[in-house]
Amino acid sequence: MKLLQTLIFSTFLVLLVVLADTKVFASANVGYFQTLPQQSDTIRRDTTKRPMKKSSLDSKLEYYAKDSVVVDKKNEIQYLYGGARVKYEGLELDAEFIRFDNKNKLVFARGSTNDKGRYFGRPIFKMEGQGTSMADSLSYNIEIGNGVVHGVFTEQEGGFFSGGRTKMQPDNEFHVHNTTFSTCNLPHPHFGIQISKGIATEKHIITGPVYMKFEDIPMPLGLPFAFFPKPNKKASGFILPTPGEDATKGFSLLGGGYYLAFNDYMDARLITNIFTNGSYDMNLVSNYTKRYKYNGNLNLTYSSTRNGLEGTPEFEPVKTIMIGWTHSQGANARPGSTFSASVNAGSSRHNALTAGNGTYDPNRFLQNSLRSSISYGRVFGDGLFNFTSALSHSQETQTRNVSLTLPDVSLNMTTISPFDSKKRVGEAKWYQRLTLGYSMNATNNVSTTEDLLFTKGGFNRFTNSVNHNVPISLPFTLLKYLNFTSSVNYSEKWDFKTVRNRYIRTNSGYEIRPDTINGFKRGAQYSLSTGMSTKIYGIKQFKGNGAIKAMRHVMTPTASFSYTPDFSRESLGYFLPAQYYTDDLRPGMSVPTGEYVRDNLGNPLLYSVFMNGGPSQGRNGSIGFSVDNNVELKVRDRKDTTGVGERKLAILQGLTFNTSYNIFAKEKKLAPINFSGRSQFTEKLGINFNGIFSPYTVGEVPFTSGTGADAVTTFSYREIDRFVWQDGKLPRLTNFGFSFDYSLNPEAFKRRNENLDQLNQQAPAASRTQAQIDALNAISRDPNAFVDFNIPWNFSFSYRFDYNNPLGRPETRTVTNTLNFSGDFNLTPKWKITYSSGYDFKAKNLSQTNFSIYRDLHCWDLSATWVPFGLYQSYSIDIRVRASVLQDLKLSKRKGFYTTY
């Protein structure tokens, strides 16, 4: 008896899961009619198309056939052979053979069998207000509205009914016999629920005995009768978990839970991960949408994680949370205004402790930062002004530092030309080119640690300020080829809190203890700048029949000058002298000693009273130099069969050198020389590189700490104010990096896109279910989240090298290089293996490594994932029903891409 109860319960559970997962009975149409792609008509309609003129018909009848038409005028019966079609009132019917009885208003249609025994030309019919369906044969009374369909194949929101016998009643009720329901989109499905007999109405289905069937083999899982509500909307149901094992947490059940279908606009999934060592995760995911208005999702996670051995401190549960929310507004929902949200916040240790919430996706548990933004924008004043307001958050998972901006408000004015006229005819005069702009930014932010943010007084740490900026610009051209731009920039800063620093002597120098002063403080500054640029072209033609036809070098030199006055004068009150205070923690007892802090040149040290930047200190007169280079070759195209074809090959792209010279700086006036660029060696391989040259010599410099008898002098290497070429040397390379990536099968994405395009042509968007639309959108967003069996193999890798040596000495040199690779290959057309790994050159070991094996079961997905070593050593085996659109594309969803944040 206990075994029987278990079998009944298991069967009921499987039925619920299949029905909930595939969203059965969600069509607004009468049941048992499939929405199929629009059929292309290849029949020659002009040969046998004949409208009936005088008969017992009340409406116009149109019929034709590719082969022949036989008309029995006496009995008013038409026999149509080969590619036949009939259109009468709301009925459209295509089949290999059609018999139409005009007098009794009966229509019969069937396919035919060719010489090889293949049945073809099945009836495809469409009733008014309903979708298109396919059957082996049918008989239908147009006047009464009833009929019998044999071997029907029809879709209902991602589920398919096939086979058996269906009787259509005049009251939109259907009687079915020996019909199979499945998520497999083949007319002969691999698996399904066999309904021996049943009645389907618009709101429910009542059946007799039902049982599971796999590969036409009946399973001992069934029910003597069943009642399924058919509310024409999404249905709720259980989600089966995936079993697995984690080397740290033990055996697991991942991804199990319950699906809630509230209505056509909102749903939710409650998913849990359970481990045998007592760890668990709870995840609530809700999606919502309103067509043409907005859409988004909400993701809430709570986890309790245990590590280590029972009885040790590490075994105590660590509670973590995560909050994810995305929201986007339709482009035409509210013209002139926008609203969007992207929230990813929570406990810094969550992804590392939970292995990416049980996904074992290295992109998640190696994530170093979390960021969020909620923003609203509006354009007004006939497009002249743009207002935005945003709440933002950033969080470093390693240091656990948190920065909040609540809110960040901006008001920007479109650049205007105050001296230009809308009625101007001809070229603008020089003063009419002058432009004026305005922008305002107000912020209220705080930077603290995760554990102090919500403590008492945590929100008192917020600082707020308002910044105004007015740019004025005037472009002009001299000597035809020299393009100049001159500008004046005025800015003001309003702070509602300022800072006063107390400098306390320590053994290594001094310690700064800031005090916050409430009150309004205004700071203003301005700057002047001008810039010039031009282009220089060099072309070299090569004669003969060589592969290289020509070379072109485009050089873009740029020179600029900017000047900013000194705003650190004492009369302005923007900067204060730094002085030492007595070391006393009692309120009001730390007083100035009268001694001022000096910099390494012996000058008095000043500090800004503004908390988040303000007017600049010291004069700055900077001359900037930059030159950009692009080198291209024109080579013979070997793929061109005419022998005269040519193509361009970029040798150097964006090779840029830039530096600046500050004429008012007291030392080291010339800035480091930066360079960057990219090179395309072949059509498939290109590299990016960047680096820094230092023009200064490195020497030993004395440093004295302490005073009097406690004074200690040490020597250390650092850059000194002496150019290297004064010693007959070239500038020193202090930083260099380059990277490249390469795919041995670059046709992979191209073939995937071709598959998607083919599917888009076959299935018009209007005939797709919402489940199919969602699946196609997911593929478009992230093709890497799916395994493509149409691609037999792929291998790609990326490499990055970084060299850093600021002083050009062995003890200051660091070298890092990383190699990552991934790929997949088909063992057979139905088996695919994927892998991803890398090599850590510093640790001399492999980095995070994953192996997965997938089996294409057409309407099912079978996958196994294995992490062989490392912190997240684990394995899992998963089998699930595949969405119908993925069956067409032969795509499987990867294990590690289930969550949305």
Side-chain angles (χ1 to χ4, degrees):
M1 179 61 72
K2 185 174 181 180
L3 177 60
L4 179 60
Q5 292 176 347
T6 302
L7 288 175
I8 294 175
F9 175 76
S10 300
T11 303
F12 184 68
L13 182 64
V14 170
L15 292 175
L16 283 177
V17 170
V18 172
L19 293 176
D21 260 356
T22 54
K23 292 169 253 184
V24 185
F25 313 130
S27 173
N29 299 327
V30 178
Y32 296 97
F33 288 96
Q34 178 191 18
T35 303
L36 291 175
Q38 184 68 35
Q39 303 295 319
S40 59
D41 186 9
T42 59
I43 300 174
R44 295 191 298 267
R45 304 189 180 187
D46 57 342
T47 57
T48 57
K49 184 175 180 180
R50 305 177 183 178
M52 294 291 294
K53 296 181 179 180
K54 293 182 180 180
S55 69
S56 58
L57 295 176
D58 297 328
S59 301
K60 181 181 179 181
L61 169 68
E62 292 186 7
Y63 61 91
Y64 50 86
K66 186 177 180 181
D67 188 347
S68 59
V69 176
V70 178
V71 180
D72 183 350
K73 294 185 177 180
K74 180 179 180 181
N75 297 312
E76 296 187 16
I77 299 176
Q78 288 81 32
Y79 300 90
L80 290 78
Y81 298 90
R85 186 168 205 194
V86 168
K87 293 179 65 176
Y88 177 69
E89 292 186 345
L91 172 67
E92 295 183 21
L93 175 63
D94 292 88
E96 185 66 16
F97 169 76
I98 299 176
R99 182 182 70 239
F100 194 92
D101 188 340
N102 303 334
K103 184 180 295 185
N104 299 311
K105 297 187 177 179
L106 294 174
V107 60
F108 171 78
R110 60 169 173 79
S112 183
T113 304
N114 60 16
D115 296 338
K116 297 181 179 180
R118 178 177 173 270
Y119 193 66
F120 69 98
R122 286 180 170 84
I124 299 175
F125 58 98
K126 180 180 180 181
M127 305 296 294
E128 186 175 6
Q130 299 179 5
T132 305
S133 298
M134 183 170 62
D136 288 340
S137 64
L138 66 87
S139 177
Y140 185 70
N141 189 306
I142 298 176
E143 184 176 29
I144 301 176
N146 67 352
V148 177
V149 181
H150 294 268
V152 70
F153 178 67
T154 184
E155 180 181 3
Q156 288 285 326
E157 287 290 333
F160 299 88
F161 291 88
S162 59
R165 183 169 175 263
T166 301
K167 187 174 183 180
M168 299 176 288
Q169 301 292 356
D171 55 356
N172 289 332
E173 185 176 280
F174 297 84
H175 297 178
V176 300
H177 177 68
N178 286 337
T179 296
T180 301
F181 168 74
S182 176
T183 57
C184 181
N185 63 0
L186 295 179
H188 190 77
H190 292 97
F191 78 101
I193 300 174
Q194 185 73 13
I195 302 174
S196 59
K197 59 178 64 177
I199 299 175
T201 67
E202 292 185 2
K203 295 185 177 180
H204 56 262
I205 295 178
I206 303 172
T207 74
V210 296
Y211 58 89
M212 297 295 296
K213 184 173 68 172
F214 292 90
E215 296 291 354
D216 293 332
I217 301 176
M219 298 288 104
L221 299 173
L223 294 171
F225 62 90
F227 174 84
F228 302 107
K230 186 172 172 286
N232 293 326
K233 60 182 181 180
K234 296 180 180 180
S236 303
F238 291 97
I239 302 174
L240 293 180
T242 298
E245 183 183 8
D246 188 289
T248 303
K249 302 175 185 177
F251 292 101
S252 62
L253 291 175
L254 305 177
Y258 194 78
Y259 175 80
L260 295 167
F262 297 111
N263 49 49
D264 291 339
Y265 309 103
M266 184 176 181
D267 65 1
R269 286 178 293 156
L270 181 62
I271 300 173
T272 60
N273 300 326
I274 303 174
F275 301 86
T276 53
N277 79 330
S279 300
Y280 63 88
D281 309 315
M282 300 182 65
N283 187 209
L284 175 64
V285 182
S286 178
N287 298 284
Y288 60 88
T289 184
K290 189 172 183 180
R291 185 173 295 181
Y292 309 123
K293 295 293 185 181
Y294 55 80
N295 63 79
N297 66 26
L298 179 67
N299 198 320
L300 304 176
T301 302
Y302 175 82
S303 298
S304 176
T305 307
R306 296 178 182 268
N307 289 308
L309 299 175
E310 187 173 357
T312 62
E314 292 78 9
F315 193 71
E316 290 297 319
V318 179
K319 314 291 186 180
T320 57
I321 62 171
M322 286 296 292
I323 301 173
W325 178 39
T326 62
H327 179 94
S328 61
Q329 179 179 293
N332 299 320
R334 301 189 66 181
S337 66
T338 59
F339 178 78
S340 63
S342 176
V343 177
N344 185 14
S347 304
S348 298
R349 302 174 61 193
H350 175 82
N351 283 325
L353 288 173
T354 63
N357 202 36
T359 64
Y360 296 91
D361 180 5
N363 294 325
R364 289 193 51 188
F365 54 72
L366 296 178
Q367 192 175 19
N368 294 323
S369 62
L370 306 174
R371 300 187 183 278
S372 306
S373 176
I374 304 173
S375 62
Y376 169 79
R378 183 167 182 81
V379 178
F380 60 95
D382 293 332
L384 183 61
F385 294 97
N386 182 13
F387 171 83
T388 60
S389 178
L391 311 178
S392 61
H393 142 272
S394 64
Q395 184 176 351
E396 301 299 324
T397 59
Q398 300 297 322
T399 61
R400 306 184 71 181
N401 291 330
V402 179
S403 296
L404 295 178
T405 302
L406 307 172
D408 185 340
V409 179
S410 297
L411 177 64
N412 296 283
M413 183 185 76
T414 304
T415 301
I416 61 174
S417 299
F419 301 111
D420 198 4
S421 174
K422 295 182 179 179
K423 298 180 180 179
R424 174 177 56 82
V425 178
E427 187 177 353
K429 295 180 174 59
W430 68 268
Y431 60 86
Q432 291 177 324
R433 295 190 178 98
L434 185 140
T435 60
L436 172 69
Y438 169 77
S439 64
M440 183 274 293
N441 178 253
T443 61
N444 181 46
N445 53 50
V446 63
S447 295
T448 183
T449 57
E450 186 178 315
D451 53 344
L452 295 178
L453 180 61
F454 297 104
T455 58
K456 184 178 180 180
F459 287 91
N460 292 331
R461 300 184 180 93
F462 275 89
T463 60
N464 32 65
S465 62
V466 181
N467 294 282
H468 305 269
N469 190 54
V470 180
I472 303 174
S473 178
L474 178 62
F476 59 94
T477 302
L478 288 180
L479 303 177
K480 192 177 180 178
Y481 299 108
L482 301 180
N483 301 312
F484 285 83
T485 300
S486 298
S487 62
V488 178
N489 194 80
Y490 175 82
S491 61
E492 271 197 18
K493 181 179 177 62
W494 298 350
D495 267 11
F496 298 91
K497 288 182 181 180
T498 54
V499 67
R500 300 294 183 271
N501 289 338
R502 291 178 292 123
Y503 290 76
I504 310 299
R505 284 191 179 276
T506 62
N507 292 332
S508 58
Y510 56 80
E511 173 189 349
I512 301 177
R513 294 178 185 172
D515 294 325
T516 302
I517 307 298
N518 292 321
F520 177 77
K521 182 68 176 178
R522 169 185 169 274
Q525 71 172 2
Y526 63 90
S527 62
L528 309 173
S529 66
T530 185
M532 182 276 295
S533 67
T534 188
K535 285 185 179 292
I536 302 173
Y537 296 87
I539 299 177
K540 172 66 175 176
Q541 300 286 346
F542 295 93
K543 299 179 180 180
N545 297 322
I548 301 177
K549 297 295 185 180
M551 181 176 69
R552 187 178 77 157
H553 179 200
V554 181
M555 185 168 57
T556 307
T558 302
S560 63
F561 173 75
S562 63
Y563 171 74
T564 305
D566 182 11
F567 294 96
S568 63
R569 299 190 303 273
E570 186 176 354
S571 59
L572 296 175
Y574 302 159
F575 289 83
L576 295 177
Q579 60 178 316
Y580 290 107
Y581 280 69
T582 58
D583 188 6
D584 197 325
L585 297 178
R586 294 175 296 175
M589 300 304 294
S590 180
V591 296
T593 64
E595 184 182 359
Y596 290 92
V597 184
R598 297 184 178 274
D599 59 21
N600 55 359
L601 298 178
N603 300 314
L605 183 69
L606 300 177
Y607 69 91
S608 174
V609 300
F610 295 96
M611 302 189 69
N612 296 308
S616 60
Q617 178 184 5
R619 288 190 303 170
N620 185 290
S622 180
I623 303 174
F625 306 95
S626 174
V627 58
D628 180 82
N629 299 270
N630 286 277
V631 180
E632 292 182 341
L633 292 180
K634 184 182 289 186
V635 299
R636 187 176 62 232
D637 190 356
R638 297 180 179 179
K639 297 180 181 180
D640 187 83
T641 57
T642 64
V644 296
E646 298 175 345
R647 64 185 179 90
K648 293 182 179 180
L649 182 63
I651 301 300
L652 284 174
Q653 296 173 285
L655 176 58
T656 304
F657 295 87
N658 62 79
T659 186
S660 62
Y661 185 85
N662 188 354
I663 59 179
F664 296 118
K666 295 181 179 179
E667 63 174 358
K668 300 177 69 172
K669 296 183 177 184
L670 182 64
I673 304 169
N674 298 274
F675 69 92
S676 63
R678 58 190 183 277
S679 181
Q680 196 73 29
F681 289 109
T682 68
E683 294 180 349
K684 301 178 182 179
L685 176 63
I687 68 169
N688 299 294
F689 56 90
N690 62 277
I692 300 174
F693 288 108
S694 174
Y696 297 104
T697 301
V698 174
E700 283 189 301
V701 177
F703 177 78
T704 302
S705 61
T707 59
D710 297 328
V712 177
T713 300
T714 58
F715 291 86
S716 62
Y717 285 97
R718 74 179 186 92
E719 287 186 341
I720 60 177
D721 190 16
R722 180 180 175 83
F723 292 119
V724 293
W725 48 78
Q726 291 179 267
D727 299 325
K729 298 180 181 179
L730 295 175
R732 187 180 69 259
L733 181 66
T734 60
N735 296 85
F736 178 73
F738 76 91
S739 63
F740 68 89
D741 53 69
Y742 188 78
S743 176
L744 295 181
N745 188 10
E747 296 294 320
F749 286 107
K750 180 180 177 181
R751 293 185 60 177
R752 180 183 286 116
N753 292 333
E754 289 175 352
N755 293 335
L756 286 173
D757 292 340
Q758 182 180 0
L759 184 72
N760 290 333
Q761 294 173 2
Q762 293 177 354
S767 65
R768 295 192 189 116
T769 65
Q770 187 60 43
Q772 292 173 328
I773 294 174
D774 293 342
L776 284 173
N777 289 338
I779 298 169
S780 299
R781 285 194 303 269
D782 189 3
N784 291 320
F786 296 85
V787 177
D788 194 343
F789 281 86
N790 292 302
I791 299 173
W793 67 274
N794 187 31
F795 179 80
S796 60
F797 60 90
S798 61
Y799 176 78
R800 176 158 187 90
F801 171 86
D802 287 288
Y803 166 85
N804 183 35
N805 194 351
L807 299 179
R809 297 187 57 80
E811 62 270 20
T812 60
R813 182 178 57 204
T814 59
V815 176
T816 60
N817 47 81
T818 57
L819 173 67
N820 295 291
F821 55 88
S822 62
D824 58 69
F825 60 91
N826 290 358
L827 285 176
T828 70
K830 299 292 185 180
W831 285 96
K832 179 180 282 289
I833 293 178
T834 69
Y835 53 90
S836 65
S837 185
Y839 188 77
D840 188 335
F841 289 90
K842 186 175 182 179
K844 297 182 179 180
N845 202 352
L846 290 175
S847 58
Q848 176 72 28
T849 302
N850 294 278
F851 291 95
S852 296
I853 185 168
Y854 294 85
R855 175 66 164 95
D856 179 15
L857 300 176
H858 181 257
C859 46
W860 291 81
D861 272 339
L862 172 65
S863 63
T865 302
W866 178 39
V867 181
F869 49 81
L871 180 62
Y872 301 103
Q873 180 180 348
S874 61
Y875 71 85
S876 65
I877 301 174
D878 191 24
I879 184 170
R880 73 176 72 87
V881 175
R882 184 190 295 185
S884 58
V885 69
L886 300 184
Q887 297 170 26
D888 293 328
L889 290 176
K890 296 189 71 179
L891 297 182
S892 295
K893 196 168 186 180
R894 294 183 187 268
K895 175 81 168 101
F897 291 83
Y898 291 146
T899 54
T900 58
Y901 67 91

